[in-house]
Amino acid sequence: MKLLKIAIVLVLSSLCFSVLNKYRKLTLPKSYTEVDSLDIMLADAKMKLPANSTIGFRTNAPVGRQDVLYFKSALVLAPIVVGRGENDTMLLIQDHQFPALPMDQYECIHNGGGKYLNYSLVRIKE
Protein backbone atom coordinates (compact mmCIF):
# COMPACT_ATOMS: atom_id res chain seq x y z
CA MET A 1 0.00 0.00 0.00
CA LYS A 2 2.83 2.39 0.89
CA LEU A 3 4.53 1.65 -2.42
CA LEU A 4 1.30 2.45 -4.30
CA LYS A 5 1.02 5.83 -2.57
CA ILE A 6 4.63 6.65 -3.46
CA ALA A 7 4.01 5.67 -7.10
CA ILE A 8 0.88 7.86 -7.26
CA VAL A 9 2.75 10.84 -5.77
CA LEU A 10 5.59 10.39 -8.28
CA VAL A 11 3.20 10.21 -11.24
CA LEU A 12 1.24 13.28 -10.09
CA SER A 13 4.47 15.21 -9.45
CA SER A 14 5.71 14.33 -12.91
CA LEU A 15 2.44 15.50 -14.50
CA CYS A 16 2.44 18.78 -12.53
CA PHE A 17 6.06 19.45 -13.50
CA SER A 18 5.26 18.79 -17.15
CA VAL A 19 2.24 21.14 -17.12
CA LEU A 20 4.19 23.90 -15.33
CA ASN A 21 7.06 23.56 -17.77
CA LYS A 22 4.69 23.94 -20.75
CA TYR A 23 3.03 26.94 -19.06
CA ARG A 24 6.42 28.61 -18.64
CA LYS A 25 7.04 28.19 -22.37
CA LEU A 26 3.73 29.91 -23.15
CA THR A 27 4.63 32.90 -21.00
CA LEU A 28 8.00 33.48 -22.65
CA PRO A 29 8.21 36.72 -24.67
CA LYS A 30 8.91 34.77 -27.87
CA SER A 31 5.74 32.65 -27.57
CA TYR A 32 3.68 34.70 -30.01
CA THR A 33 0.50 33.31 -31.46
CA GLU A 34 -0.97 34.29 -34.81
CA VAL A 35 -3.38 36.62 -32.99
CA ASP A 36 -0.37 38.41 -31.47
CA SER A 37 1.22 38.72 -34.91
CA LEU A 38 -2.01 40.09 -36.41
CA ASP A 39 -2.37 42.51 -33.50
CA ILE A 40 1.08 43.92 -34.17
CA MET A 41 0.60 43.91 -37.94
CA LEU A 42 -2.83 45.62 -37.87
CA ALA A 43 -2.03 48.21 -35.16
CA ASP A 44 -1.54 51.01 -37.74
CA ALA A 45 -4.74 50.07 -39.57
CA LYS A 46 -6.70 50.17 -36.31
CA MET A 47 -5.44 53.69 -35.61
CA LYS A 48 -6.53 54.89 -39.07
CA LEU A 49 -10.17 53.78 -38.61
CA PRO A 50 -12.78 55.27 -36.28
CA ALA A 51 -13.84 52.90 -33.47
CA ASN A 52 -17.46 52.84 -34.66
CA SER A 53 -16.67 51.96 -38.28
CA THR A 54 -17.61 48.86 -40.25
CA ILE A 55 -15.26 47.40 -42.84
CA GLY A 56 -15.37 44.46 -45.24
CA PHE A 57 -12.90 41.57 -45.36
CA ARG A 58 -11.26 39.55 -48.14
CA THR A 59 -8.27 37.26 -48.27
CA ASN A 60 -6.42 35.17 -50.82
CA ALA A 61 -5.93 32.34 -48.31
CA PRO A 62 -7.40 28.91 -49.03
CA VAL A 63 -11.04 28.31 -48.08
CA GLY A 64 -10.30 26.52 -44.77
CA ARG A 65 -8.00 29.32 -43.63
CA GLN A 66 -10.26 32.22 -44.64
CA ASP A 67 -12.57 31.82 -41.63
CA VAL A 68 -9.62 31.64 -39.24
CA LEU A 69 -8.10 34.86 -40.57
CA TYR A 70 -11.50 36.55 -40.57
CA PHE A 71 -12.26 35.75 -36.92
CA LYS A 72 -8.75 36.61 -35.73
CA SER A 73 -8.82 39.92 -37.62
CA ALA A 74 -12.25 40.75 -36.17
CA LEU A 75 -10.93 40.00 -32.69
CA VAL A 76 -7.84 42.17 -33.14
CA LEU A 77 -9.68 45.12 -34.70
CA ALA A 78 -12.60 45.26 -32.22
CA PRO A 79 -14.54 47.53 -31.59
CA ILE A 80 -14.29 48.10 -35.36
CA VAL A 81 -16.83 45.76 -36.96
CA VAL A 82 -15.36 43.49 -39.63
CA GLY A 83 -17.99 42.15 -42.04
CA ARG A 84 -17.69 39.23 -44.42
CA GLY A 85 -18.84 41.00 -47.58
CA GLU A 86 -17.92 44.03 -49.63
CA ASN A 87 -18.03 47.43 -47.98
CA ASP A 88 -16.81 50.94 -48.83
CA THR A 89 -13.68 50.27 -46.79
CA MET A 90 -12.08 46.85 -46.96
CA LEU A 91 -9.35 44.93 -45.18
CA LEU A 92 -7.49 42.69 -47.62
CA ILE A 93 -5.19 40.11 -46.03
CA GLN A 94 -2.84 38.39 -48.41
CA ASP A 95 -0.79 35.28 -47.73
CA HIS A 96 2.60 35.37 -49.49
CA GLN A 97 2.19 31.75 -50.63
CA PHE A 98 -0.86 32.36 -52.83
CA PRO A 99 -1.66 34.56 -55.84
CA ALA A 100 -2.42 38.15 -54.88
CA LEU A 101 -5.93 39.57 -54.92
CA PRO A 102 -6.56 41.99 -57.82
CA MET A 103 -6.20 45.58 -56.60
CA ASP A 104 -7.49 47.47 -59.66
CA GLN A 105 -10.95 48.12 -58.14
CA TYR A 106 -9.47 49.51 -54.90
CA GLU A 107 -7.78 52.72 -53.80
CA CYS A 108 -5.15 52.05 -51.13
CA ILE A 109 -5.42 53.81 -47.75
CA HIS A 110 -2.65 51.95 -45.95
CA ASN A 111 -0.40 48.90 -46.45
CA GLY A 112 1.51 46.82 -43.97
CA GLY A 113 2.77 43.37 -43.47
CA GLY A 114 4.55 40.75 -41.53
CA LYS A 115 6.63 37.69 -42.17
CA TYR A 116 3.83 35.60 -43.71
CA LEU A 117 0.95 37.99 -44.32
CA ASN A 118 0.45 41.43 -45.85
CA TYR A 119 -2.58 43.61 -45.48
CA SER A 120 -4.08 46.51 -47.34
CA LEU A 121 -6.69 48.86 -46.00
CA VAL A 122 -8.52 50.03 -49.12
CA ARG A 123 -11.57 51.90 -50.38
CA ILE A 124 -13.57 50.78 -53.39
CA LYS A 125 -12.96 53.10 -56.36
CA GLU A 126 -15.98 55.03 -57.56
Side-chain angles (χ1 to χ4, degrees):
M1 188 62 124
K2 191 175 184 178
L3 189 57
L4 179 63
K5 288 181 182 178
I6 293 172
I8 290 172
V9 168
L10 286 174
V11 168
L12 290 175
S13 298
S14 173
L15 286 172
C16 287
F17 180 75
S18 175
V19 167
L20 286 174
N21 206 18
K22 288 179 182 176
Y23 175 76
R24 265 190 227 113
K25 288 179 184 175
L26 288 175
T27 59
L28 292 174
K30 292 185 179 179
S31 297
Y32 290 115
T33 63
E34 187 174 46
V35 172
D36 296 325
S37 297
L38 282 171
D39 190 29
I40 292 166
M41 184 177 84
L42 295 174
D44 289 340
K46 190 172 183 177
M47 289 189 310
K48 295 198 178 297
L49 295 168
N52 61 350
S53 61
T54 300
I55 62 172
F57 177 85
R58 286 191 60 205
T59 182
N60 68 338
V63 174
R65 181 120 164 79
Q66 288 178 6
D67 290 336
V68 172
L69 286 174
Y70 166 72
F71 286 115
K72 288 179 179 179
S73 298
L75 174 71
V76 165
L77 291 174
I80 297 164
V81 177
V82 180
R84 296 287 287 184
E86 294 283 322
N87 205 332
D88 293 345
T89 305
M90 299 283 297
L91 174 66
L92 307 179
I93 293 187
Q94 307 218 38
D95 191 320
H96 298 293
Q97 300 176 18
F98 300 101
L101 293 170
M103 297 290 288
D104 54 337
Q105 64 181 347
Y106 301 112
E107 171 187 334
C108 185
I109 299 171
H110 188 74
N111 284 321
K115 189 173 181 181
Y116 302 105
L117 300 172
N118 286 332
Y119 80 91
S120 298
L121 194 57
V122 298
R123 288 197 203 303
I124 295 178
K125 288 181 183 175
E126 294 186 26

